[in-house]
Amino acid sequence: MVVPAPSPDQLHLEAEIAAPPTAVWRALTEQGALRSWWLGANLEPRPGGEFLALRLDQGREILIEGVVGRIEPPAYIEWTWKQQDWRARTQVVIRLAEVAAGTRVEVLHFGWQRLPADVREDLRAAYEAAWGRRLKALAAFAEGRI
């Protein structure tokens, strides 16, 4: 489910996953599990750890780099996010909360106002769709469907 962003500077998406928070956390932070649902991604789950991912844009691979900031297993992780062709960094926060059905996952991606105005809205829309796909893949993995 996509929740309307409270400001043009932030994406805010939520999903409920029928798996316990520890299983979702493992899918997010253990390398073998992460690569099972997010091909081309690498995350070192510690403050100062590296985040790397590849994004396809019209057949072109774009490298995304970041650095992990705060981490509170199994409920919270944040890292910076910068495409190789961006001049500014954005920020990603993922929060997990136990709910009756399993886990509520909340993704916040903010800092869009730091990007050039002529590309900001297109990038924000593309990332909103991409995070939606990532949440569906995370759910499929954590629920044992892939």
Side-chain angles (χ1 to χ4, degrees):
M1 165 173 90
V2 176
V3 176
S7 80
D9 194 46
Q10 176 180 313
L11 292 175
H12 180 182
L13 293 89
E14 290 184 10
E16 284 198 10
I17 297 177
T22 53
V24 177
W25 183 260
R26 185 181 66 78
L28 282 167
T29 61
E30 289 183 10
Q31 194 55 47
L34 178 64
R35 286 194 176 160
S36 294
W37 64 271
W38 191 344
L39 298 177
N42 182 59
L43 174 70
E44 296 173 350
R46 60 176 175 76
E50 182 177 63
F51 171 82
L52 294 171
L54 289 175
R55 176 176 180 260
L56 290 178
D57 183 28
Q58 300 175 3
R60 182 174 65 111
E61 286 185 349
I62 298 172
L63 179 65
I64 298 163
E65 299 176 287
V67 177
V68 175
R70 198 170 104 214
I71 182 169
E72 297 172 11
Y76 183 96
I77 188 167
E78 67 182 41
W79 64 84
T80 58
W81 184 285
K82 182 181 179 295
Q83 278 191 192
Q84 67 190 41
D85 55 347
W86 292 0
R87 287 178 275 163
R89 294 187 183 281
T90 59
Q91 185 80 21
V92 171
V93 171
I94 298 180
R95 293 188 280 219
L96 308 180
E98 188 169 3
V99 294
T103 305
R104 183 180 64 247
V105 180
E106 183 179 22
V107 176
L108 298 118
H109 190 161
F110 55 93
W112 299 100
Q113 297 298 318
R114 298 176 194 146
L115 301 177
D118 62 328
V119 296
R120 181 182 309 140
E121 287 309 310
D122 288 342
L123 283 169
R124 194 174 173 282
Y127 271 95
E128 185 169 35
W131 279 116
R133 290 188 302 273
R134 289 284 158 248
L135 282 171
K136 286 179 183 176
L138 172 60
F141 180 81
E143 293 170 356
R145 294 182 281 126
I146 60 170

